[in-house]
Amino acid sequence: MKPYDQTARTEEEIRAAVDALMAQMTLEEKIGQLVQSPGPATSEIGMDIDSDPLEDLIRQGRIGSTIFLGEVFQTVKDIEKLQRIAVEESRLHIPLLFCQDIIHGYQTIFPIPLAWSCSFDLPAIEKAAHIAAAEASCAGLHVAFSPMVDVAHDPRWGRVAEGAGEDPYLASLVGQAIIRGFQGKNLFDRDSVMACVKHFLGYAAAEGGRDYNTAEFSETALRNTYLPPFKAAVEAGCASLMTSFNLVNGVPSVANRPLCHDLLRQELGFDGLIISDYNAVAELLNHGAAEDEADAARRSLLATLDVEMATDFYNRHLPGLIREGKVDAALVDDAVRRVLTFKYRTGLMEDPYRYLRPEELRERVLCKEHLAHSRKLAQESIVLLKNENHTLPLSREKKVALVGPTADSLDMGGCWQFTSFPERMVTIRQGLEDAGFAVNYEKGCDIHQMIEGGMENACAAVYESDVCVLCLGEESLMNGESASRQSIALPQAQLDLLEAVAACEKPVILLLTNGRPLLLGEVLPQADAVLETWFLGHEAGHAICDVLLGDCEPTGRLTMSFPAAQGQIPVYYNHMNTGRPHPRGVPYIRFESNYMDGPNEPLLPFGYGLSYTTFSYGEITLSQDTLTKEGSLTASVCVTNTGDRTGTTLCQLYLRDVAASIARPVQELKGFESVTLAPGESRRVSFVIGEPMLRFYNAEKQYVSEPGRFEVMIGMDSEEALSRSRSFRLV
Ligand code: NOJ
């Protein structure tokens, strides 16, 4: 018999069961629920679980959850072993929660999040997250540290790969889709995991794009740019949230009471778990934000941090602080109540082993259905950046030279994936061979350096062929955490290879494998066609060939601007106007807001992506030219496929608040619709605009819409949409 009610299911029953259990817990046992230890083989940083063996701590009830990052079937064994110790050998038999970074797939790997955001296909992203949950939950995992919804403007920051790019609206929708996919309808469902939205807050605003760095922004930027995706996540019922490593306006998030307690808990009503990032409580000392370990624990708890990841300052210092009256025991009780509530909601208190299903796991990982979805989402994530002279789609009749360091590379999964099946990634070479090509392959160079004779051999292969498919890019390790780059150019060896191959005067099709916007100003002119293929996961090679050969259309659109020069960073579409705006495409003018030595505009704007066919958009029609607070109006355009292939265009709606009490961005994405049309076919695409879409946080600290003039823009990308606008008044 367990000393707690195992059958509580409704919220009322759970509340009573948690209270009854807490009444039996010692202070140390309560605090133990708030500690998240690293699991076996997790990281060198953080708690020393060798000198203080994890098993002993679990027996003593001093651990509430564990973060895992291991080989899948070993994970199952380790989880089962640790769960047994918690449930059978600790005094109160409370099960552990097991957590992992499940970012773009668990064992079956999907495109990196920056890539899948380019699909704008929310149901497909939701399904990918659901598949990840269905695999991870069988392995005994309960919490996925995802989605990352940090709005990012700086491609030097390696973690842009993990998010949805530079737009708060899209980041909100993608984040909600992932949360729905992970959590399903009910956390009690055995195929669901708890989502953990991160990193609260402003992590992407790190100075200089240097990871973990200081973020400074105004209250209005916080509310209008960085907060919306977190607000959306709370509204979607996200079960947990991770604080960011950085200072936010001087205070590290993990101990930032105004941010976590006042804004998140009180104002947004978040009652899920707040989890620190890895070792972040200890890092308060380095930040100069805590005097010693005890002070770090106290400040974090005061901010309402529930779970301390990877360190055990709570264990070591909170009991003393509470007994000395320096910390209110009620704060611990609140946090413990939240942790135990989720242990009930996930069904763990009823059956601690319900998620451990190794047989189902074996059937699910990399199964046909999961791989098929990975391939579909990978196809949709690819963005066609250039296509001169109809170079693409590639004809099956052509003799292909396949060149480049990423052409035959298994490194297709991208950052933050821990699949135990890396050898199952489909390379580009394999993709082409599976499609029936007898490719003439030459590596040419490594990612970072030349290889002896590489260039000569590559050129020889190109001369013998009709076309060169050149594969360049980054390696996975150049993206993700702690992977900031000063230069976002392709490494020099690859630029040299491109130049050599381009000089062979055969058509060059460039396939880019990378996790951030790259500097392509001097790259694009040297290729006839360019596909941005990101890191696409297990089915990369197949999906790339599907698009390359025209078996499916390129439908992805960029969700982060690609700078024209490194010195433009940050460059993003939804910026403010200056008092001296500089017209697009006009050379330097003194005393205007422009560079002396180059354009203001990015090379490739947000929303950009070509199709194999062409489209034309007609003028915008508005159903009326005034909008009332309760009413709505419809903006529509007629879209026509003007080419000779069936194709899909992503019709994008942008709005601008022309004059307001605080300046508003020159454009903000407010809607999008994917439209597939046969050659010559036209369709009217409509968007309904209502007053809530016009709200923002103003200088009076209110979310309002302000009467006045608004511009409506609809187009194929953010820049193209500027050429087509109509206005209405909010009255
Ligand atoms: C550090 C990263 O910032 C965070 O995103 C991740 O979830 C944790 N480590 C756990 O691995």
Side-chain angles (χ1 to χ4, degrees):
M1 259 301 270
K2 303 272 176 355
Y4 46 79
D5 178 359
Q6 285 186 261
T7 59
R9 288 246 185 130
T10 66
E11 286 299 304
E12 211 184 321
E13 290 166 351
I14 292 175
R15 221 169 297 129
V18 168
D19 283 344
L21 175 56
M22 283 177 61
Q24 306 174 58
M25 295 171 84
T26 64
L27 182 57
E28 280 73 11
E29 283 167 337
K30 285 182 183 170
I31 292 166
Q33 289 300 311
L34 311 183
V35 175
Q36 179 163 120
S37 69
T42 296
S43 167
E44 299 293 299
I45 304 174
M47 278 166 77
D48 183 358
I49 55 170
D50 290 332
S51 68
D52 231 352
L54 186 54
E55 286 86 344
D56 288 349
L57 290 169
I58 295 172
R59 263 180 213 107
Q60 294 159 23
R62 309 290 300 267
I63 302 286
S65 54
T66 297
I67 160 171
F68 261 82
L69 302 173
E71 191 280 326
V72 57
F73 292 106
Q74 190 57 41
T75 296
V76 178
K77 285 189 201 139
D78 289 339
I79 288 182
E80 176 163 11
K81 181 175 126 202
L82 298 181
Q83 194 68 299
R84 240 171 240 298
I85 296 173
V87 175
E88 291 169 19
E89 299 179 39
S90 73
R91 189 180 78 90
L92 291 173
H93 313 283
I94 302 173
L96 298 167
L97 278 174
F98 292 100
C99 319
Q100 180 161 339
D101 286 284
I102 300 162
I103 310 298
H104 49 114
Y106 177 53
Q107 293 304 311
T108 307
I109 301 304
F110 293 90
I112 54 168
L114 182 61
W116 77 22
S117 71
C118 295
S119 75
F120 285 76
D121 186 345
L122 302 173
I125 294 170
E126 178 177 337
K127 184 169 172 189
H130 179 69
I131 288 174
E135 292 183 0
S137 59
C138 295
L141 291 161
H142 313 118
V143 183
F145 292 139
S146 167
M148 181 185 106
V149 296
D150 296 303
V151 172
H153 295 157
D154 193 332
R156 292 171 297 184
W157 190 54
R159 306 201 71 171
V160 300
E162 300 170 52
E166 69 195 33
D167 184 69
Y169 170 72
L170 184 65
S172 302
L173 295 179
V174 170
Q176 288 186 324
I178 296 170
I179 293 165
R180 284 195 303 272
F182 280 151
Q183 300 193 165
K185 288 202 174 59
N186 193 331
L187 288 176
F188 195 81
D189 175 356
R190 290 198 311 176
D191 279 349
S192 70
V193 293
M194 290 164 56
C196 180
V197 64
K198 65 191 189 183
H199 305 82
F200 188 73
L201 188 76
Y203 186 26
E207 279 178 358
R210 290 186 295 281
D211 208 359
Y212 316 122
N213 228 289
T214 303
E216 288 279 340
F217 35 75
S218 65
E219 175 78 2
T220 47
L222 182 154
R223 300 282 187 153
N224 292 323
T225 303
Y226 299 107
L227 186 62
F230 288 94
K231 195 162 177 260
V234 172
E235 283 161 11
C238 191
S240 64
L241 168 146
M242 189 185 295
T243 54
S244 58
F245 280 122
N246 52 290
L247 298 177
V248 176
N249 300 335
V251 184
S253 306
V254 68
N256 196 321
R257 186 168 162 93
L259 208 58
C260 296
H261 173 267
D262 302 352
L263 173 56
L264 183 63
R265 296 249 189 242
Q266 292 213 306
E267 189 182 321
L268 301 188
F270 180 65
D271 65 354
L273 299 184
I274 303 185
I275 305 178
S276 80
D277 204 337
Y278 202 100
N279 204 48
V281 175
E283 289 167 23
L284 285 173
L285 275 73
N286 292 342
H287 277 296
E291 210 158 300
D292 51 27
E293 292 187 2
D295 195 30
R298 187 182 65 84
R299 285 176 189 272
S300 304
L301 186 70
L302 266 181
T304 67
L305 175 79
D306 297 314
V307 175
E308 176 189 1
M309 190 197 292
T311 46
D312 59 351
F313 290 11
Y314 272 16
N315 259 352
R316 287 196 266 142
H317 302 286
L318 286 183
L321 288 168
I322 289 172
R323 292 197 173 103
E324 288 162 26
K326 291 186 178 150
V327 163
D328 183 357
L331 287 172
V332 167
D333 282 352
D334 290 346
V336 176
R337 195 167 286 116
R338 284 188 283 264
V339 172
L340 293 176
T341 298
F342 279 100
K343 290 189 175 179
Y344 269 103
R345 286 186 184 151
T346 49
L348 277 182
M349 303 300 275
E350 185 176 312
D351 174 5
Y353 308 108
R354 67 198 298 268
Y355 290 87
L356 277 163
R357 291 164 289 149
E359 286 323 310
E360 270 175 71
L361 177 65
R362 269 175 221 285
E363 282 164 24
R364 286 183 185 181
V365 295
L366 271 68
C367 68
K368 229 167 126 190
E369 186 206 333
H370 294 184
L371 286 174
H373 191 61
S374 177
R375 182 167 179 164
K376 170 188 154 77
L377 198 47
Q379 292 163 347
E380 293 183 357
S381 302
I382 294 171
V383 187
L384 178 63
L385 303 183
K386 176 175 179 181
N387 192 17
E388 236 151 57
N389 308 321
H390 298 288
T391 307
L392 289 179
L394 174 65
S395 146
R396 281 190 156 80
E397 312 303 313
K398 298 274 193 228
K399 200 167 164 215
V400 171
L402 179 67
V403 175
T406 56
D408 195 25
S409 165
L410 287 169
D411 186 17
M412 294 277 115
C415 58
W416 285 112
Q417 44 90 17
F418 304 98
T419 182
S420 301
F421 309 95
E423 76 293 346
R424 296 274 303 272
M425 298 277 165
V426 178
T427 65
I428 297 171
R429 180 182 188 174
Q430 191 188 328
L432 277 169
E433 285 171 358
D434 290 351
F437 282 88
V439 294
N440 190 354
Y441 164 70
E442 283 295 338
K443 189 172 188 189
C445 68
D446 285 326
I447 293 282
H448 295 286
Q449 49 209 330
M450 309 302 298
I451 48 183
E452 219 183 300
M455 209 105 97
E456 294 73 17
N457 293 342
C459 290
V462 176
Y463 281 124
E464 282 167 18
S465 310
D466 303 321
V467 54
C468 173
V469 174
L470 178 63
C471 305
L472 304 179
E474 298 182 296
E475 18 179 42
S476 295
L477 280 176
M478 291 164 78
N479 308 121
E481 188 179 347
S482 190
S484 299
R485 295 182 62 197
Q486 287 193 349
S487 161
I488 58 163
L490 282 167
Q492 191 57 47
Q494 298 189 50
L495 292 174
D496 292 345
L497 179 64
L498 168 64
E499 202 180 315
V501 163
C504 298
E505 295 191 347
K506 294 284 172 77
V508 175
I509 298 166
L510 177 61
L511 305 180
L512 292 167
T513 298
N514 49 293
R516 56 157 61 77
L518 296 175
L519 267 192
L520 299 180
E522 287 170 18
V523 170
L524 294 190
Q526 299 186 67
D528 298 274
V530 182
L531 286 172
E532 174 53 78
T533 74
W534 311 110
F535 287 97
L536 293 176
H538 267 115
E539 285 291 304
H542 288 148
I544 291 170
C545 288
D546 294 337
V547 174
L548 199 66
L549 300 173
D551 293 342
C552 64
E553 296 294 303
T555 53
R557 299 294 181 263
L558 298 179
T559 56
M560 246 188 121
S561 306
F562 276 46
Q566 183 95 11
Q568 288 183 327
I569 297 171
V571 60
Y572 49 96
Y573 88 94
N574 42 1
H575 60 84
M576 305 295 169
N577 230 355
T578 69
R580 298 181 176 189
H582 177 74
R584 278 162 199 267
V586 173
Y588 171 71
I589 300 177
R590 197 155 171 76
F591 302 124
E592 283 193 359
S593 169
N594 55 172
Y595 292 107
M596 300 180 89
D597 51 355
N600 282 351
E601 292 75 39
L603 183 71
L604 304 170
F606 177 88
Y608 175 83
L610 301 172
S611 310
Y612 287 156
T613 183
T614 48
F615 293 95
S616 78
Y617 282 44
E619 288 309 308
I620 299 174
T621 312
L622 295 183
S623 58
Q624 67 242 30
D625 49 21
T626 55
L627 175 67
T628 59
K629 292 235 160 173
E630 301 71 36
S632 64
L633 63 80
T634 303
S636 62
V637 291
C638 181
V639 179
T640 306
N641 180 345
T642 48
D644 53 9
R645 289 174 67 96
T646 295
T648 302
T649 179
L650 186 78
C651 195
Q652 303 164 34
L653 168 74
Y654 297 90
L655 295 182
R656 176 179 181 188
D657 190 341
V658 179
S661 60
I662 61 164
R664 304 292 300 129
V666 293
Q667 292 176 285
E668 288 181 289
L669 183 73
K670 293 289 177 179
F672 51 87
E673 193 177 325
S674 182
V675 186
T676 301
L677 298 172
E681 190 185 349
S682 296
R683 188 169 317 151
R684 185 153 280 281
V685 181
S686 304
F687 295 98
V688 177
I689 299 171
E691 179 273 333
M693 288 161 81
L694 312 179
R695 291 185 196 161
F696 63 99
Y697 189 80
N698 71 8
E700 270 72 59
K701 299 186 182 302
Q702 295 158 329
Y703 285 98
V704 289
S705 60
E706 295 179 350
R709 192 159 75 85
F710 289 80
E711 259 172 43
V712 182
M713 292 151 271
I714 300 178
M716 300 182 223
D717 63 57
S718 56
E719 196 161 323
E720 198 271 343
L722 289 168
S723 65
R724 195 174 301 103
S725 88
R726 286 288 305 271
S727 57
F728 67 87
R729 292 194 77 80
L730 175 70
V731 292

